[in-house]
Amino acid sequence: DVKVTQSSRYLVKRTGEKVFLECVQDMDHENMFWYRQDPGLGLRLIYFSYDVKMKEKGDIPEGYSVSREKKERFSLILESASTNQTSMYLCASSFPGTTMNTEAFFGQGTRLTVV
Amino acid sequence: AQTVTQSQPEMSVQEAETVTLSCTYDTSESDYYLFWYKQPPSRQMILVIRQEAYKQQNATENRFSVNFQKAAKSFSLKISDSQLGDAAMYFCAYRKPQRLYGGSQGNLIFGKGTKLSVKP
């Protein structure tokens, strides 16, 4: 089975801290994604990576950065955490969407609270 | 830009009955993929069903089926014989085919979700 693992399910951080959210997948997927999920807003794309060291901004990249040094690992970085970044963060991975294997597989999510 | 709209924030169904969740989308593409994802209270998002736009036949997976109307840009999910375990958030999602090794077309665009409750 495909597995996407996020390093923490719950995280509490202080305002101004630098926060790292880690995601690892074991299916050799080229694509990896970070989404933010808020009630009533659905899932919004923060960043997307389609290959090692390659990244593209999503819809809400402000206040975030990402790192993909290895194919299986995609990190989301909050440079200086703020209370409005309190949210659920979902990582996902997939093959390129040129084949039948177009579905994305998701991690368990990280509930981040910034106080 | 592509958008996905789920007009029903919440739905309720009696156990063993049938329920239909609505989804519409906006795109100028002719080739794309559509998905329904389920997110139970445990939070892990799982795929329920997928549809390729070039296929006219509606996808089915056991008790789950879709009504795909390409011209109307509509993609509804029907759940038959509803079970207590079907209670969850359901998200409709759109994805363009992606060029190999490039581009942001690989990401999923999600609707805001429909919370489905199942009454015993």
Side-chain angles (χ1 to χ4, degrees), chain A residues 9 31 33 35 37 40 42-43 45 48 50 56 88 94-100 102-104 106-109, chain B residues 33 35 37 39 42-45 47 50 52 54 91 95 97-98 100-104 106-108 110-112:
Chain A
R9 289 201 67 173
N31 292 341
F33 313 87
Y35 287 92
Q37 183 178 10
L43 279 77
L45 182 67
F48 161 57
Y50 53 89
E56 287 199 13
M88 173 73 73
S94 75
F95 288 115
T98 55
T99 71
M100 283 294 293
T102 55
E103 70 176 284
F106 285 81
Q108 288 270 50
Chain B
Y33 304 96
F35 305 86
Y37 278 88
Q39 188 181 40
S42 65
R43 294 191 315 210
Q44 186 138 32
M45 193 89 74
L47 179 69
R50 85 184 95 194
E52 292 83 8
Y54 63 85
F91 292 94
R95 181 181 183 179
Q98 179 185 0
L100 199 60
Y101 301 121
S104 60
N107 60 288
L108 289 165
F110 286 88
K112 293 183 179 181

Side-chain angles (χ1 to χ4, degrees), chain A residues 15-74:
Chain A
T15 302
E17 275 193 77
K18 190 169 187 176
V19 181
F20 293 86
L21 302 183
E22 306 287 345
C23 177
V24 177
Q25 51 95 2
D26 65 0
M27 272 301 290
D28 203 33
H29 285 162
E30 284 79 3
N31 292 341
M32 294 190 77
F33 313 87
W34 276 106
Y35 287 92
R36 172 174 170 161
Q37 183 178 10
D38 298 288
L41 297 178
L43 279 77
R44 295 177 292 168
L45 182 67
I46 305 172
Y47 266 98
F48 161 57
S49 171
Y50 53 89
D51 203 349
V52 175
K53 296 189 187 293
M54 306 305 289
K55 62 186 179 186
E56 287 199 13
K57 293 180 180 179
D59 300 318
I60 51 165
E62 296 78 19
Y64 304 95
S65 62
V66 290
S67 173
R68 193 163 180 204
E69 297 296 319
K70 294 184 178 181
K71 192 174 185 179
E72 67 270 18
R73 186 180 296 270
F74 192 36

